Amino acid sequence: MASQRFAPPGPLGFGGAPLGDMFAKVDDATAEATVEAAWESGIRYFDTAPHYGAGLSEHRFGAVLRQHGREDYVLSTKVGRLLVPDLAAEPEPPFLSALPFRRVLDYSAAGARRSVEDSLQRMAVGRIDIVYVHDLAADHLGDAWTEEFEKAREGAFRELIKMREEGLIRAWGLGVNLPEPCIRALKESDPDVFLLAGRYSLLDLTGLKELFPLCAERGAHVVVGGPFNSGLLAGGRTFDYQEAPPEQVAARDRLAAVAKEHGVDLRAAALQFCAAHPVVASVIPGAKHPDRVRQNAELMRQKIPAAFWATLKAQSLLPEEAPTPVG
């Protein structure tokens, strides 16, 4: 089973939330140039979602990707929010822009089917490779997440398995910020791959404890989103999209001190660490400018001495069992 599950190419992919005008607006020309820069940098995995700018990110991806051969790249999007036409719809934070649609939460079978069909038309592509059930977790749904999970298990999960059998999609899973729903999905259904954001990084190893071993056992894969923890590991001040707490800033500073000692760019270490785990298929930092995409590609290629990783473990900044890059 493990060898048959479809996984996106790595080590580097492209996360599409910023192209939905997350936190800052970007014009269409720059957005399209950014996707093209990713292509020119060798990236062949692109992730988006209806939620990102109420279809804006999908629209922008489609404008570029449909110019390339469909067999030459892997594309993922998400279900869980249907877009309903609404000229009065306002942008929903953290997105500063939106196409004229209102989001409606829907984890049903019919909702999943319609969402996939809508995304195909929005992007004007003939196939979506991977579909993630989006934000099916407590950070977005509160205590209601368990009830919504049941709806999804009986609805969206089964419909996505059916779509996989039909060949409409090649794989499915969850796109979330917390590992608990992924663990439950592995135990109660048949997912192929998870997009886990912010829970496997140099600052947060939550995914390492239970989810990753279970994925290895089941032959499932993980795509790591948020490898910079929304900016803190890239020199910013935010962690999980909020002002970073002092203890996280201090942890980042300890990592940065070791990186400086070994002549390592901490951003390169952050990306390459995420990619080193055997269950991780791809790492997908977001970007909204061509220069940032090119920079991420260069960071993934930089050589990092083995002594750097050894020092992190010697100083208990990484656990011994955490896989690190070789060579």
Side-chain angles (χ1 to χ4, degrees), residues 41-153:
S41 298
I43 291 170
R44 293 295 182 269
Y45 172 43
F46 302 87
D47 174 72
T48 183
H51 181 46
Y52 303 158
L56 181 60
S57 175
E58 284 190 324
H59 180 72
R60 287 168 162 172
F61 271 109
V64 176
L65 293 179
R66 63 175 173 260
Q67 300 174 39
H68 297 282
R70 186 59 194 87
E71 297 304 318
D72 295 335
Y73 63 91
V74 170
L75 176 64
S76 61
T77 191
K78 305 177 182 72
V79 300
R81 293 179 179 91
L82 287 175
L83 299 185
V84 178
D86 185 350
L87 290 173
E90 296 287 337
E92 183 175 310
F95 302 99
L96 303 186
S97 301
L99 296 184
F101 298 96
R102 170 171 44 89
R103 301 164 177 85
V104 177
L105 197 70
D106 191 332
Y107 292 114
S108 69
R113 175 76 63 165
R114 178 181 162 186
S115 185
V116 169
E117 292 172 348
D118 286 354
S119 290
L120 285 167
Q121 294 186 50
R122 200 173 294 121
M123 292 187 282
V125 296
R127 186 187 69 235
I128 294 166
D129 298 290
I130 304 169
V131 175
Y132 300 111
V133 182
H134 204 185
D135 289 335
L136 187 61
D139 59 327
H140 282 273
L141 301 171
D143 292 340
W145 87 267
T146 54
E147 179 182 347
E148 294 296 338
F149 186 94
E150 279 301 308
K151 293 179 185 177
R153 186 172 66 84

Side-chain angles (χ1 to χ4, degrees), residues 4-18:
Q4 296 174 353
R5 291 191 184 275
F6 179 80
L12 189 65
F14 186 102

Side-chain angles (χ1 to χ4, degrees), residues 9 73 85 88 97 117 125 139 161 183 225-226 235 255 260 268 271 283:
Y73 63 91
S97 301
E117 292 172 348
V125 296
D139 59 327
I161 290 172
I183 293 167
L255 291 166
K260 184 177 180 180
L271 289 176
V283 183

Side-chain angles (χ1 to χ4, degrees), residues 7 200 208 212-213 215-216 219-223 272-282 321-325:
Y200 190 67
L208 186 65
F212 282 27
C215 285
H221 305 278
V222 174
V223 171
Q272 293 183 36
F273 171 74
C274 292
H277 197 288
V279 305
V280 172
S282 192
E321 67 270 21
T324 52

